[in-house]
Amino acid sequence: MSTHDPERPRRHFLLAAAAVAFSAAPCVARAQTPARTKRRIYMVTWRGPTDVEKGFVDYWKTQPGQVEFIWQDAAQNRNRLVGIAADIERTLPDLVFTWGTPATLGIAGSADKPHRLIGTRIPLVFAPVADPMAANIITSLGAHGRNISGVSHVAPLAAQIKVMRAYRAIRGVGIIYNQLEPNSLANVMAWRRAGKLEGFRVVAQSFPMNANNQLLPANVDMIADLVEQLIKGGVNWLYLGPDTHLFTQLDKVADAAMKRAIPTFASVESLINTSAPVLVGLVSKFYQVGQFAGYKAHKMLQGERNVHIDTLERFSLIVDLAVAKAISAYPPMGLIDYAEFRP
């Protein structure tokens, strides 16, 4: 399944061109920074390394010895990002990489409250971020005034809806989300707008919170109750959005949906690349997202500003046949030519 943006016709060959472009990098880098033979990239992960970081690092392996990496993991703790940002100020790397929306906001600040160095004097590349504008990281995908670029990994909502409708008619879409994550709130609002335009209902349930605005520990019964409330609201699809907390509860959420024969649709690769019983997803491959982010970082290290924020040109349609059999939801013939099937 592919999507095409006529305003960005060159994007489709960027990954293929990356190795060629990079082959010219050493002379430019040495000319700009003669006192340093290695560029230092500060890697900030959110929940440990993923295929995004693997793709990013592999991009630079075509020039061994020219880049060194400094690694810090936030372990899904926003408070740790304060110390990491301070360490970045102290060490002054050539570029910062951040994984995901929480880490990017915690390190670079928001568009209206930016960090004084990171994302200005020190360039920053993020990957993946579902909706950087809705998350208030930047104010536009083009020229936005910050020394920030990156890669979004979520297919356009219209493309996701098209796939879901091709698979099964949409009466209602259910969403379970973490209201503490800005990208999750933006995703729910986008689906509600789409539902009004497209003529289907959207029912959203947030993970329960305590009186101190903290997430309650989830258990099987709690998740099952959330799914039951969605079904009572008239949904016949459960949408799995780009939500970090949802990922930690994925086994329980997907299992509850399968037991009730509700098809699940994944928006990101990490939600369908696990043992959780997720039916179908239209996703960007994380490794390719990382490579594309590496290409953008390379352009920024060459001194280019206003490097555009993009998604990949192509998305993968993945179907889990075991789940399809369990809930009697086999893909229609029209999708078979496009799909990648998991046994």
Side-chain angles (χ1 to χ4, degrees), residues 120-306:
T120 54
R121 175 182 167 189
I122 304 172
L124 179 142
V125 169
F126 61 73
V129 168
D131 192 336
M133 287 182 62
N136 197 28
I137 295 169
I138 43 92
T139 55
S140 70
L141 296 179
H144 47 69
R146 307 191 75 183
N147 197 5
I148 290 177
S149 185
V151 182
S152 180
H153 59 311
V154 178
L157 193 54
Q160 297 182 62
I161 292 171
K162 183 177 180 180
V163 169
M164 292 170 73
R165 278 187 160 148
Y167 204 111
R168 173 180 287 187
I170 302 176
R171 295 195 307 274
V173 174
I175 304 172
I176 300 175
Y177 70 102
N178 174 14
Q179 60 184 292
L180 298 179
E181 296 186 34
N183 53 296
S184 299
L185 293 172
N187 178 64
V188 170
M189 289 190 293
W191 270 99
R192 283 176 171 155
R193 289 193 298 268
K196 288 181 180 179
L197 289 172
E198 301 285 345
F200 57 81
R201 67 182 62 192
V202 174
V203 184
Q205 291 286 343
S206 63
F207 288 101
M209 314 274 289
N210 64 20
N212 296 319
N213 207 34
Q214 297 171 325
L215 288 166
L216 293 172
N219 56 45
V220 172
D221 291 338
M222 176 194 292
I223 298 299
D225 183 61
L226 290 176
V227 174
E228 285 288 354
Q229 291 180 52
L230 295 176
I231 293 172
K232 289 177 181 177
V235 310
N236 67 326
W237 276 101
L238 177 58
Y239 179 77
L240 306 174
D243 186 303
T244 301
H245 186 67
L246 173 65
F247 178 82
T248 67
Q249 307 301 318
L250 182 62
D251 286 343
K252 293 187 281 288
V253 171
D255 187 63
M258 187 173 71
K259 287 178 178 177
R260 292 156 179 82
I262 298 295
T264 43
F265 185 94
S267 59
V268 295
E269 185 186 23
S270 58
L271 293 170
I272 202 166
N273 265 7
T274 71
S275 59
V278 177
L279 174 64
V280 61
L282 184 67
V283 302
S284 296
K285 295 294 182 72
F286 267 16
Y287 184 85
Q288 294 174 346
V289 167
Q291 292 234 304
F292 199 10
Y295 173 79
K296 291 182 176 296
H298 164 70
K299 294 177 74 174
M300 298 179 83
L301 286 176
Q302 287 184 309
E304 187 172 337
R305 292 185 69 92
N306 297 322

Side-chain angles (χ1 to χ4, degrees), residues 90-114:
R90 181 182 63 81
T91 56
L92 294 177
D94 296 288
L95 181 135
V96 175
F97 168 93
T98 50
W99 192 99
T101 301
T104 303
L105 287 170
I107 296 298
S110 60
D112 55 335
K113 294 181 180 179

Side-chain angles (χ1 to χ4, degrees), residues 300-319:
M300 298 179 83
L301 286 176
Q302 287 184 309
E304 187 172 337
R305 292 185 69 92
N306 297 322
V307 178
H308 210 285
I309 295 167
D310 290 292
T311 62
L312 297 182
E313 179 73 10
R314 289 186 172 272
F315 300 90
S316 298
L317 176 62
I318 300 172
V319 178

